[in-house]
Amino acid sequence: MSFGEPNNPYGQQPQGGQQPGYGYPQQAPQGVPSQYGHPQAPPVQQPYGGGYPGAAMEMPGGVKAARVMLWIIGGLNLLGALAIIVMALVAFDELDTSGASSADAQAFQDFGQGVLVGIGVFALIFAVLGMVLAAKFKSGGNGVRICSIVYAAFIVLFALFSLPLGIISLALGVLIIVFCAKADGSAWFNRYKQQY
């Protein structure tokens, strides 16, 4: 049986498939280097969504965890701030009736009550700032990430002064810094820059 002329593309082909090197070259499977000397670009990997602008991206797990930790720390600071303010107002009102000399009681009340209320107001502002940062994680940009890292650094600093009671705040602050500074956290907060 004759297969016709070997150089005739319209001739009958052998039944066993194509002859090696005959006809058009086949494309190499993905991951196998090209046999014809043409460089192939690696596939583009989009970490958190489609490859087109406006694609819905999912918040990475570490960023979600940092957001929850900010809510927890903000809530605890809010409760602590309110407790300090109430304690300052109630404790110093009872000091007037405790039988101490009026000059000492008045001096202690003026100084101590003012200091405690000031600490309480500072803790209240700090708590609200943490909650605002946590609320901005969904839509915020790189500024929210940087502010969250700085906020967590202050949490770590304050926790170091209150050890061993501040060990939980210390751990949460360190974890917030780590999760916001990781590559997937950076990609999440810079996602608007990458799309356009």
Side-chain angles (χ1 to χ4, degrees):
M1 177 167 162
S2 170
F3 291 109
E5 181 151 346
N7 293 329
N8 183 359
Y10 302 108
Q12 187 178 6
Q13 298 295 319
Q15 298 298 329
Q18 264 190 328
Q19 296 175 356
Y22 184 80
Y24 292 105
Q26 298 294 318
Q27 189 174 12
Q30 189 173 2
V32 176
S34 175
Q35 300 171 1
Y36 302 102
H38 300 292
Q40 291 181 344
V44 177
Q45 300 207 359
Q46 298 288 333
Y48 302 110
Y52 56 91
M57 296 174 69
E58 184 178 343
M59 188 183 299
V63 177
K64 285 180 185 177
R67 183 181 190 192
V68 169
M69 290 176 205
L70 280 173
W71 279 114
I72 291 170
I73 288 176
L76 291 176
N77 281 336
L78 182 67
L79 291 176
L82 293 176
I84 289 172
I85 292 172
V86 168
M87 183 180 66
L89 297 177
V90 171
F92 287 106
D93 284 341
E94 295 204 9
L95 183 65
D96 287 335
T97 61
S98 67
S101 71
S102 63
D104 290 339
Q106 186 63 36
F108 184 70
Q109 182 178 7
D110 290 343
F111 180 73
Q113 189 173 19
V115 168
L116 280 180
V117 169
I119 291 171
V121 169
F122 177 75
L124 187 66
I125 292 169
F126 197 70
V128 170
L129 177 63
M131 292 177 175
V132 167
L133 285 172
K136 291 280 196 176
F137 264 45
K138 190 79 170 170
S139 62
N142 199 37
V144 173
R145 177 179 156 268
I146 293 170
C147 287
S148 298
I149 291 172
V150 171
Y151 181 83
F154 278 111
I155 291 171
V156 169
L157 181 68
F158 293 143
L160 286 175
F161 289 120
S162 62
L163 284 176
L165 296 176
I167 192 75
I168 294 173
S169 294
L170 178 68
L172 291 177
V174 169
L175 287 173
I176 291 169
I177 292 171
V178 169
F179 289 146
C180 288
K182 281 176 44 179
D184 60 349
S186 178
W188 169 256
F189 288 107
N190 289 320
R191 67 193 180 279
Y192 295 118
K193 287 182 184 178
Q194 293 172 356
Q195 289 178 356
Y196 299 106

